[in-house]
Amino acid sequence: MTRYYHILNYGCQMNESDAEHYAGQLLDLGYTYTPDYHEADVIIINTCCVRESAEKKILGKIGEMKQVKRNHPGSVLCVTGCMAQEWGREMLKKYPQVDLLLGTAHVNSFSSILQNYLSSHDRQGLFDDLTVMPQEFEGSFVRKSSFAAWVPIMYGCNNFCTYCIVPYVRGRERSREPEAICREIRRAVSLGYREFTLLGQNVNSYGKDRGEKEAFARLLELVDAIPGVERIRYMTSHPRDMSEEVVRTIAQSRHVCRHFHIPVQSGSSRIMKAMNRGYDREKYLDLVRTIRKYVPDAVLSTDLIVGFPGETEEDFEDTLSLVREVCFDDAFTFIYSRRSGTPAAKMPDQVPDDVKKERLDRLMEVQNACSLERNKRLVGRTLPVMVEGPSRSNPEVMSGRTDGNNLVLWPKGETEPAPGSIVPVRIERAQTWLLKGRVE
Ligand code: SAH
Ligand code: SF4
Ligand code: F3S
């Protein structure tokens, strides 16, 4: 009899990567994916707790699973990821429908934990130790994409930005060995993968836990030299730790994308300090200048938080002026969310919700104008675009990404190019979120 699994995934790229590791282990145990979790024998909810909105949505799903499990006796509900880590055993107490809890350091031990549960029926959690290095993954990979692969290069974060829960749920920085990373990439190349995104909460401190300097630059060089690797991306850079050496290495590389995602969070030096970001406005702008010196055509994107405790109208205007000054190609904008256990949650002068919302709207308006302006500069140019496939809304239109990660749409010709191949597209129109063109 076929046994089915389903994974509900929330959160960042690290979680998407973890979900692929869970899927691979289930495949190796003989399970088959089903798109309908009502018929799944194993359901994984891979959770995120970075903002309250994510947590609320996930608690709703866990609640719904009570009935889903009642209709499908014998099914196993596993809660994994950052919320499992944050809640610990409390989750098992509060939600009897949860059978297994797995913290973030144990992602690659899932298979043995599930097998234990199936023979013992002991509801249990494994999440105490955030200092262990996750086992190297030896199983099958079940990747969503047929050409782009996530590759974790390090786990955890040492930064303790005062608003952020991640260091508490992902533990301290632990870097994988460069050989293990390259082996994984070579294996994926042999399966047809062309684009690799190196993942870590702060990739610029890769190797520092082993006392190595500039290890991230050296890793980029190693991956750049692997035959068959077409594009290399990485997430996320911390502006404090992004060295000139890394920027130079990227500029000289053949395959590292000229896209720099450098989360600034705020434009006010006072707020950056209260956030414990380790740089101020001037240092950040210096980094932007360094990037543009080595890579004049660099695509820049960022993350921004509005309404951090104590943020005044003047601080917020500093954010607007920084966004205008840098003119980012893209930005992820967030309303500050109070996360209990983090220092900012206890800070005075929490900003009222309506003020936060109003600031977010104003910020998005400024950013959208920048995105459009930046996209317009590409009109008339022919860019290499990696094909993703037919667009979801119109199968007659193809979609893909530039080196700078801009989304591009173009009419499908007589032959449909294969996902992962690179085609030259002449850009004819620019919108805020995308570019439209024609294959040359
Ligand atoms: N390690 C990465 C990603 C962290 S989470 C980094 O440092 O950039 C991704 C983004 O979520 C952060 O950059 C930040 O902008 C946002 N974020 C984190 N905690 C938040 C909070 N409590 N409220 C609102 N946004 C938050
Ligand atoms: Fe959170 Fe800061 Fe670490 Fe990013 S660098 S994960 S924002 S603590
Ligand atoms: Fe969320 Fe955990 Fe990522 S809290 S953003 S899934 S590291």
Side-chain angles (χ1 to χ4, degrees), residues 157 159-161 163-164 166-167 201 238 277:
C157 180
N159 289 311
F160 292 95
C161 302
Y163 51 82
C164 184
V166 170
Q201 296 301 339
H238 194 300
R277 290 292 290 177

Side-chain angles (χ1 to χ4, degrees), residues 150-349:
W150 308 117
V151 183
I153 63 166
M154 59 191 297
Y155 306 95
C157 180
N158 289 357
N159 289 311
F160 292 95
C161 302
T162 52
Y163 51 82
C164 184
I165 192 91
V166 170
Y168 305 90
V169 293
R170 289 271 173 182
R172 293 298 68 71
E173 288 172 0
R174 287 145 290 158
S175 303
R176 286 177 73 192
E177 297 285 343
E179 294 74 32
I181 295 166
C182 290
R183 207 178 317 124
E184 184 171 317
I185 292 175
R186 280 195 296 269
R187 193 170 139 202
V189 167
S190 73
L191 296 170
Y193 287 84
R194 293 290 170 260
E195 178 180 297
F196 297 88
T197 304
L198 311 181
L199 293 178
Q201 296 301 339
N202 174 7
V203 291
N204 299 106
S205 58
Y206 172 74
K208 286 187 186 158
D209 51 314
R210 285 200 299 261
E212 296 163 10
K213 290 208 175 85
E214 298 297 353
F216 184 57
R218 302 291 82 80
L219 180 69
L220 287 175
E221 286 169 348
L222 286 176
V223 179
D224 197 44
I226 297 177
V229 169
E230 208 58 77
R231 280 184 176 175
I232 303 163
R233 301 186 185 279
Y234 50 90
M235 295 214 78
T236 304
S237 283
H238 194 300
R240 185 198 55 215
D241 297 323
M242 184 151 205
S243 65
E244 191 160 344
E245 174 63 11
V246 165
V247 179
R248 202 181 309 127
T249 305
I250 293 169
Q252 288 166 359
S253 74
R254 289 196 304 156
H255 302 289
V256 185
C257 292
R258 273 54 173 168
H259 171 208
F260 294 77
H261 182 67
I262 36 171
V264 66
Q265 314 297 359
S266 165
S268 151
S269 292
R270 200 178 70 81
I271 296 293
M272 291 167 177
K273 186 156 196 272
M275 287 175 161
N276 191 31
R277 290 292 290 177
Y279 52 82
D280 59 14
R281 186 179 169 109
E282 264 326 294
K283 260 182 98 178
Y284 185 85
L285 290 172
D286 275 348
L287 174 64
V288 171
R289 277 188 284 271
T290 304
I291 293 172
R292 288 189 166 147
K293 180 176 96 185
Y294 286 101
V295 188
D297 214 20
V299 166
L300 294 185
S301 60
T302 199
D303 291 352
L304 293 154
I305 297 176
V306 297
F308 183 81
E311 184 188 74
T312 61
E313 177 61 24
E314 204 186 334
D315 292 317
F316 174 65
E317 278 169 18
D318 283 348
T319 298
L320 292 182
S321 80
L322 181 118
V323 167
R324 283 197 196 97
E325 187 170 340
V326 177
C327 200
F328 294 103
D329 293 76
D330 196 9
F332 297 93
T333 50
F334 304 105
I335 284 182
Y336 167 72
S337 173
R338 203 170 178 172
R339 305 283 62 211
S340 69
T342 64
K346 290 190 233 79
M347 287 181 186
D349 303 322

Side-chain angles (χ1 to χ4, degrees), residues 10-12 15 47-50 82 165-166 169-170 201:
Y10 299 86
C12 62
N15 257 23
T47 60
C48 170
C49 54
V50 77
C82 296
I165 192 91
V166 170
V169 293
R170 289 271 173 182
Q201 296 301 339

